[in-house]
């Protein structure tokens, strides 16, 4: 009977040893997987922290782009309106100048050169100054 008891304990040990080995192997695999997930989560958090400011910048750029598109649309509408009331280029330049637009903005809006815009404004200002001197009673000297 002792030999049977001894044999059964050896048999139980032989069965338990692979089971313990399997449990140890599963424990190691689980520990490695937890470590891998932790590293992945830290990396994901770093990426999220990096992407968040970029996302804010993109939102700001989208707003600025919308503003620029609205400005262009307004200019295009104004040009179409000006063309529909048959203003010549000189009238368009002077109207924009009186509204306070800069020379580069006027040139861009009307699709003409900077020199042409400067010339039109200069001639207008000279004629306006000459007209004022005529009203004041001064005779122009030739």
């Amino acid at each position: 009977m002792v030999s049977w008891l001894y044999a059964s304990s050896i048999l139980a040990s032989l069965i338990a040893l692979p089971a313990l080995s399997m449990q140890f192997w599963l424990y190691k695999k689980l520990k490695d997987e937890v470590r891998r997930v932790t590293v992945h989560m830290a990396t994901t958090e770093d990426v999220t922290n990096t992407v968040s400011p970029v996302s804010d910048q993109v939102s700001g750029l989208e707003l600025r782009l919308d503003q620029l598109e609205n400005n262009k649309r307004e200019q295009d509408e104004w040009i179409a309106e000006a063309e529909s009331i048959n203003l010549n280029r000189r009238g368009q330049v002077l109207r924009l100048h009186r509204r306070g637009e800069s020379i580069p903005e006027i040139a861009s809006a009307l699709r003409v050169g900077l020199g042409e815009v400067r010339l039109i404004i200069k001639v207008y200002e000279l004629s306006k100054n000459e007209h004022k001197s005529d009203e004041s009673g001064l005779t122009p000297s030739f």
Side-chain angles (χ1 to χ4, degrees):
M1 172 138 169
V2 172
S3 66
W4 183 83
L5 188 59
Y6 180 70
S8 65
S9 65
I10 290 177
L11 184 63
S13 296
L14 288 175
I15 292 173
L17 187 62
L20 284 173
S21 297
M22 180 64 115
Q23 286 178 348
F24 180 73
W25 180 78
L26 288 172
Y27 170 77
K28 283 294 270 177
K29 289 287 277 182
L30 181 62
K31 191 174 176 182
D32 290 342
E33 188 66 21
V34 167
R35 186 178 305 121
R36 189 185 69 76
V37 167
T38 304
V39 167
H40 178 72
M41 286 175 54
T43 304
T44 303
E45 187 174 312
D46 290 343
V47 168
T48 302
N49 291 338
T50 303
V51 168
S52 180
V54 172
S55 176
D56 293 342
Q57 290 175 346
V58 167
S59 296
L61 289 173
E62 286 174 342
L63 280 173
R64 180 69 179 134
L65 183 62
D66 288 342
Q67 290 172 346
L68 291 173
E69 287 176 350
N70 287 338
N71 288 345
K72 179 162 179 6
R73 196 173 309 116
E74 288 173 6
Q75 285 179 350
D76 289 344
E77 288 171 3
W78 185 87
I79 290 171
E81 178 186 314
E83 289 172 351
S84 69
I85 58 176
N86 200 17
L87 286 179
N88 59 16
R89 184 171 291 151
R90 180 179 175 275
Q92 292 173 334
V93 168
L94 295 177
R95 176 184 264 182
L96 287 172
H97 179 66
R98 281 187 223 113
R99 285 177 47 190
E101 301 288 332
S102 69
I103 291 174
E105 288 173 340
I106 295 170
S108 174
L110 300 177
R111 296 177 185 96
V112 296
L114 290 171
E116 185 175 353
V117 172
R118 285 188 189 110
L119 178 65
I120 292 170
I121 292 171
K122 185 73 169 182
V123 167
Y124 169 74
E125 290 174 350
L126 287 173
S127 68
K128 188 169 70 170
N129 289 339
E130 185 176 307
H131 181 67
K132 283 183 184 177
S133 66
D134 288 345
E135 288 178 351
S136 66
L138 297 175
T139 56
S141 60
F142 291 100

